[in-house]
């Protein structure tokens, strides 16, 4: 939700705070550029923290920074101070991928897509919340609502940062990732986390009976489970809920696994993956070992692991390219739609003859939006998210295009490109009703495509580098966002602005076709 809140906030804050500080309209994009640039540099740091210090530590740090920055932004006394505080907000946003990694490592593989997509409902809620907050602060419902001594845009910032502060209060309830704990050799803590999750969900104890839990935990703590026991456990991964027999391994363990023990069997993969990773590191070339030695103090040694393995390197580079272009397409779509549906945008009667883009109009007029038109557009994210909820775990149709992670991305971004390009023609060409309908279709497709893209991100990487790999993808996403605000407020014709944004979204659909389908995979064994 934090990224949804902040990005949608920027689409209102850039023109409204810019008007309040009387800066030129062409400088509005500076606020978004500073925000995204700060997030760009902070993202790999949070990924390294997540892999070296834990997912929970990175999440808490991220939320604290965003809370402090939000309060500072609301009290800024100059445009420069506001830019600096929003830059700090961008630093906090650098950790936005980590909670997604954490949830993905707790969710069962067969239902992981549906579980992760639940977070996208909060994304939709964030978009609508910002619109309502803007309506009550800088919009037509504002008169008489904020105290007269408060500037409306400050009220908007305070209203939007409130959910972030609420998240800060809830951070003590976060658990650490069992996968990460196993990777660090802290198997007793991983067991404790699983026991806690089982109790909260009213499930049977993880440890099981007949002494199996002790034998299994002992094997995990030693970080060297017998081949027979490990192979038997891996055979059970395909069925979470069934009881099963474990044949006698080295040590003579023979018992019946309860569902809790079957769930624990997933963690046995972490040890074998750690052993494999250690073997690969030992066989690394001198250049790779030197690079890892230099990057390890920065927490970035995992970057060498990603780039040293050919299959993982190819997947990662393709994945990062997709997120780079998607960042520009996504931010550009959000910013441009907010403008084009504004009373000063190309969807208005005054400026709709050729879909012209933002111009150097008076700053006071720039903070003016058609909220009644934007509400149904933002609400269209809800059915887009619902569609993902229903199909993201089940690839179907020709080439798996009617479901799954990859299929949803290909279809959604293709529709997004088509609708956004047509919308950019403006009301003078296609009419105001058509512009609004196409904007809603664009937002529907944007929600669906981005939901599937985020769900697939942590599944592209093994546990040992998941934080860094997924956060690097987000880094490239932020890199793509950086020029988006300046592009939208460049003063160029609206049709040209929209065409470039549409081309970016179509490119995302094409690149997604080169990535593997990750629906239902178990972490690590498929990497």
């Amino acid at each position: 939700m934090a990224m949804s809140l902040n990005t949608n906030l920027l689409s209102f804050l850039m023109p409204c705070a810019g008007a309040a500080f009387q800066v030129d309209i062409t400088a509005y994009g500076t606020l978004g550029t500073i925000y995204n640039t700060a997030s760009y540099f902070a993202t790999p740091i949070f990924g390294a923290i997540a892999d070296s210090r834990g997912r929970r530590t990175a999440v808490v740090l991220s939320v604290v920074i965003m809370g402090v920055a939000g309060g500072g932004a609301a009290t800024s006394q100059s445009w420069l101070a506001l830019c600096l505080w929003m830059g700090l907000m961008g630093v906090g946003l650098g950790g936005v991928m980590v909670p997604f990694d954490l949830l993905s490592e707790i969710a069962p593989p067969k239902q992981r897509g549906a579980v992760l997509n639940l977070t996208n409902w909060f994304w939709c809620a964030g978009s609508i919340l910002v619109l309502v907050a803007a309506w009550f602060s800088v919009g037509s419902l504002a008169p008489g609502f904020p105290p007269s001594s408060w500037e409306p845009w400050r009220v908007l910032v305070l209203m939007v940062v409130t959910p972030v502060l609420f998240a800060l209060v809830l951070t003590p309830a976060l658990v650490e990732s069992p996968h990460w704990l196993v990777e660090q050799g802290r198997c007793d803590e991983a067991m404790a986390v699983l026991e806690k999750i089982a109790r909260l969900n009213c499930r049977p104890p993880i440890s099981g009976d007949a002494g199996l839990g002790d034998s299994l935990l002992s094997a995990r703590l030693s970080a060297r489970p017998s081949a027979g026991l490990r192979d038997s456990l891996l055979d059970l991964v395909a069925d979470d809920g069934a009881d099963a027999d474990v044949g006698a391994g080295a040590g003579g363990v023979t018992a019946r696994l309860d569902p809790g023990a079957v769930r624990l069997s997933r963690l046995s993969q972490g040890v074998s993956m750690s052993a494999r990773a250690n073997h690969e590191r030992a066989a690394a070339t001198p250049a790779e070992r030197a690079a890892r030695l230099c990057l390890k103090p920065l927490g970035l040694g995992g970057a060498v692991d990603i780039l040293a393995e050919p299959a993982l390197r190819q997947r990662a580079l393709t994945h990062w390219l997709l997120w780079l272009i998607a960042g520009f397409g996504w931010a550009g779509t959000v910013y441009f739609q907010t403008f084009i549906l504004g009373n000063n945008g190309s969807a208005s009667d005054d400026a709709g003859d050729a879909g012209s883009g933002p111009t150097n109009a008076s700053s006071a007029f720039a903070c003016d939006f058609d909220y009644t038109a934007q509400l149904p557009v933002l609400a269209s994210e809800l059915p887009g998210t619902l569609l993902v909820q229903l199909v993201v775990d089940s690839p179907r149709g020709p080439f798996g295009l009617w479901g799954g992670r990859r299929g949803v991305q290909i279809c959604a971004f293709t529709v997004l490109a088509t609708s956004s390009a047509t919308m950019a023609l403006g009301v003078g060409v296609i009419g105001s009703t058509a512009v609004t309908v196409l904007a809603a279709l664009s937002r529907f497709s944007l929600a669906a495509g981005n939901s599937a893209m985020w769900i697939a991100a942590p599944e592209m990487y093994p546990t040992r580098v998941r934080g860094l790999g997924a956060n690097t993808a987000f880094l490239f996403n932020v890199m793509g966002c950086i020029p988006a605000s300046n592009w939208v407020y460049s003063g160029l014709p609206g049709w040209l602005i929209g065409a470039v944004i549409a081309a970016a979204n179509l490119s995302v659909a094409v690149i997604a076709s080169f990535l593997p389908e990750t629906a239902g995979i178990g972490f690590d064994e498929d990497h």
Side-chain angles (χ1 to χ4, degrees), residues 273-369:
M273 292 303 299
S274 296
R276 189 183 76 180
N278 290 334
H279 174 74
E280 290 167 348
R281 293 187 186 105
T285 65
E288 291 170 350
R289 288 197 295 270
R292 186 177 290 111
L293 183 63
C294 294
L295 292 173
K296 187 175 181 180
L298 303 177
L300 299 176
V304 180
D305 293 334
I306 293 175
L307 299 177
E309 302 176 31
L312 181 56
R313 178 176 63 246
Q314 180 179 356
R315 185 191 314 129
L317 293 177
T318 304
H319 187 231
W320 295 343
L321 177 63
L322 181 145
W323 275 66
L324 171 68
I325 301 175
F328 178 82
W330 167 70
T333 299
V334 171
Y335 297 154
F336 190 53
Q337 279 189 357
T338 301
F339 175 84
I340 206 170
L341 294 173
N343 292 336
N344 189 39
S346 59
S348 68
D349 294 334
D350 296 332
D353 56 341
S356 56
T359 60
N360 291 321
S362 67
S363 293
F365 191 52
C367 184
D368 195 6
F369 307 95

Side-chain angles (χ1 to χ4, degrees), residues 1-161:
M1 179 186 258
M3 190 172 183
S4 174
L5 289 172
N6 292 333
T7 303
N8 284 283
L9 169 64
L10 276 174
S11 65
F12 292 100
L13 188 61
M14 286 188 290
C16 294
F21 287 117
Q22 298 182 341
V23 301
D24 190 84
I25 194 171
T26 57
Y28 290 1
T30 304
L31 191 64
T33 299
I34 292 175
Y35 167 83
N36 287 311
T37 301
S39 182
Y40 169 79
F41 285 106
T43 295
I45 297 175
F46 276 99
I49 292 173
D51 283 338
S52 60
R53 301 296 180 184
R55 315 317 195 202
R56 185 177 183 275
T57 300
V59 171
V60 173
L61 180 60
S62 172
V63 175
V64 168
I65 292 175
M66 285 191 288
V68 172
T75 59
S76 299
Q77 299 303 309
S78 68
W79 178 253
L80 175 60
L82 178 62
C83 288
L84 293 177
W85 280 114
M86 291 306 295
L88 183 61
M89 179 78 79
V91 171
L93 193 72
V96 74
M97 176 62 77
V98 181
F100 217 71
D101 297 340
L102 175 58
L103 182 59
S104 71
E105 292 173 336
I106 295 175
K110 292 181 180 179
Q111 294 83 36
R112 187 184 298 124
V115 171
L116 294 180
N117 193 58
L118 294 175
T119 65
N120 293 316
W121 291 100
F122 288 92
W123 175 284
C124 300
S127 299
I128 296 173
L129 176 62
V130 172
L131 177 65
V132 173
W135 208 342
F136 273 93
S137 56
V138 300
S140 58
L141 299 181
F145 175 67
S148 57
S149 60
W150 295 1
E151 292 181 274
W153 69 267
R154 299 183 190 275
V155 179
L156 172 61
V157 174
L158 288 175
M159 294 175 71
V160 171
V161 80

Side-chain angles (χ1 to χ4, degrees), residues 35 85 93 139 170-171 197 233 272 330 336 366 458 462 476 486 499-500 507:
Y35 167 83
W85 280 114
L93 193 72
L170 296 179
T171 52
I197 294 174
L233 291 170
S272 59
W330 167 70
F336 190 53
F476 280 99
N486 284 324
V500 172
S507 299

